[in-house]
Amino acid sequence: MHGRTLIRRAVSAALWTVGLFGLGVLGMWWAGWLPWPLAGERPPSAPVQPVPVQMAPIQAAPVQPAPEQTVPTPPLPEPQPEPAAPSVAAPPSAPPDDLQGESAQPTPPPTAPSAPLDDLNQLRQLAGLSLVTAEPAWAAGCAAHARYLVGVDRGEHAEDPRHPLSSPEGVDCAPGHYFVSSQPDSGAERALGYWATGAFHLPQLLDPRLGRVALGLAHDSRGGVQSAAVLDVRRGLSGAARYPVRFPQPASWSPFRASAASEWPDPLPGCAGYDHPVGPPVALLLGPDTETGGAGGSKAEVSGAALKVNGRPVAACLLTAQTFQGASATETRVGRGVLAAQGAAILLPRQPLPAGAEVRVSFRTPAGPVAWSFRVE
């Protein structure tokens, strides 16, 4: 009995020893101290070496930067004259070269100030004419009419005697050229630029008898008409009437490339298919018919004209006292009167003239062709 007990104890001790040994081995493997893997566990595979791939470089097409497109800011619209009405018609006492309903051409304001008469005299020199001088005695009246125009907020060649801004001195200057603008800084240079490119304003600036002028300016930012210029070109006609007058004169350089876009009378209704912009007026003044006082036209009537630009014929519209047709009976009468006063023939190129162009013009008269050339700046 005692021996069996000892055997059981020995077996139990051996089993405990084997169990403890197995637990120890399992713990060392778990801790990573034994190198062999457990059954069913796959050893880690060797790292895959990537196969180098040769890639052709991508040739990118060069990108050209697009040029910036600059859209010019359109100029502010100028106030238009009131529709043809009694105020538009020339007063009974007005000579036939009176102009009504003028409005401003949208041209840039001057970049530098200049003496008011300098621009007018440069224009006359471009026609080979004598210079004009300022008449101080008329200046106050022209300034008074300019103040009247900005005060009544419109352009016209007369004054309402009931208006507080009306004055006898202003009425005396009212028949001259006027220019009205919605821009507060418009001055003499801009006004002269408009008159010089107007088919029915240019002839009076080129009158060879003109010796004295007066200019008046006014500004008022409270209304639609914020600037006005008035030029008296009627009372100073005292010089010699030496014709013909050619503008621009032969072998000269002209700064003008286009006509005034808002001329009155409108010169284009009788020019089929024409629309603004058109080229600047080219003028031949042959002198009035003294037997009719200028009202019946010139004896040396121009019957045709031709224009070449850089040696190529270009379309142009001829305006004479016998052929001009306005948009209304009033415009026809006034326009023809202006042209007849100096036997003027005005040629309007259908397109603006390019810079640097050589222009050759020829007018057909009873005495033969009158032809010359000039260049454009």
Side-chain angles (χ1 to χ4, degrees):
M1 186 73 177
H2 181 68
R4 292 180 178 177
T5 301
L6 292 174
I7 292 172
R8 285 196 299 270
R9 289 180 178 177
V11 172
S12 177
L15 293 173
W16 276 102
T17 300
V18 173
L20 291 174
F21 178 77
L23 289 174
V25 173
L26 182 62
M28 288 188 293
W29 176 85
W30 191 264
W33 294 351
L34 296 178
W36 61 82
L38 296 176
E41 183 182 26
R42 300 178 62 181
S45 57
V48 179
Q49 297 297 327
V51 179
V53 179
Q54 298 296 329
M55 299 184 65
I58 299 175
Q59 299 295 330
V63 178
Q64 298 295 333
E68 295 184 4
Q69 300 295 325
T70 303
V71 179
T73 303
L76 293 176
E78 302 295 343
Q80 296 297 317
E82 294 191 336
S87 61
V88 172
S93 59
D97 60 346
D98 187 43
L99 296 180
Q100 308 294 332
E102 302 159 49
S103 60
Q105 180 191 17
T107 55
T111 56
S114 62
L117 293 188
D118 287 350
D119 292 331
L120 176 55
N121 280 326
Q122 288 177 11
L123 181 76
R124 290 177 63 84
Q125 285 182 316
L126 195 57
L129 297 171
S130 60
L131 306 185
V132 298
T133 59
E135 177 51 69
W138 304 336
C142 294
H145 187 59
R147 288 193 298 271
Y148 175 86
L149 297 182
V150 296
V152 299
D153 214 23
R154 63 177 181 269
E156 58 185 357
H157 284 288
E159 294 186 2
D160 184 348
R162 298 167 296 179
H163 196 279
L165 290 177
S166 178
S167 65
E169 295 81 9
V171 171
D172 289 340
C173 192
H177 286 354
Y178 73 73
F179 170 90
V180 292
S181 171
S182 63
Q183 299 189 20
D185 57 350
S186 291
E189 183 175 355
R190 190 171 180 186
L192 262 297
Y194 166 69
W195 295 325
T197 55
F200 298 103
H201 288 81
L202 176 64
Q204 298 180 63
L205 301 179
L206 300 180
D207 194 319
R209 300 165 295 175
L210 187 62
R212 295 177 297 161
V213 298
L215 177 70
L217 302 172
H219 303 276
D220 188 342
S221 60
R222 293 173 294 180
V225 174
Q226 298 190 12
S227 298
V230 178
L231 180 68
D232 191 333
V233 290
R234 301 171 62 83
R235 289 181 285 182
L237 299 177
S238 57
R242 297 176 180 174
Y243 293 95
V245 175
R246 292 173 286 185
F247 179 86
Q249 69 175 333
S252 64
W253 286 81
S254 171
F256 306 112
R257 301 180 191 175
S259 287
S262 52
E263 173 72 316
W264 197 96
D266 184 353
L268 299 186
C271 303
Y274 282 52
D275 196 6
H276 291 289
V278 297
V282 179
L284 174 65
L285 279 57
L286 296 175
D289 183 349
T290 55
E291 294 179 0
T292 60
S298 172
K299 290 182 178 180
E301 176 185 343
V302 172
S303 57
L307 191 71
K308 289 185 177 181
V309 176
N310 293 328
R312 295 184 177 182
V314 298
C317 184
L318 178 64
L319 311 177
T320 70
Q322 293 74 30
T323 62
F324 171 65
Q325 294 293 330
S328 66
T330 298
E331 292 194 31
T332 299
R333 174 182 58 81
V334 173
R336 289 188 174 190
V338 171
L339 298 173
Q342 294 191 78
I346 305 294
L347 195 60
L348 295 178
R350 185 165 187 170
Q351 300 293 332
L353 298 177
E358 180 182 13
V359 181
R360 180 167 180 80
V361 60
S362 176
F363 290 89
R364 186 166 62 247
T365 74
V370 179
W372 73 93
S373 298
F374 64 91
R375 298 191 73 95
V376 181
E377 292 182 0

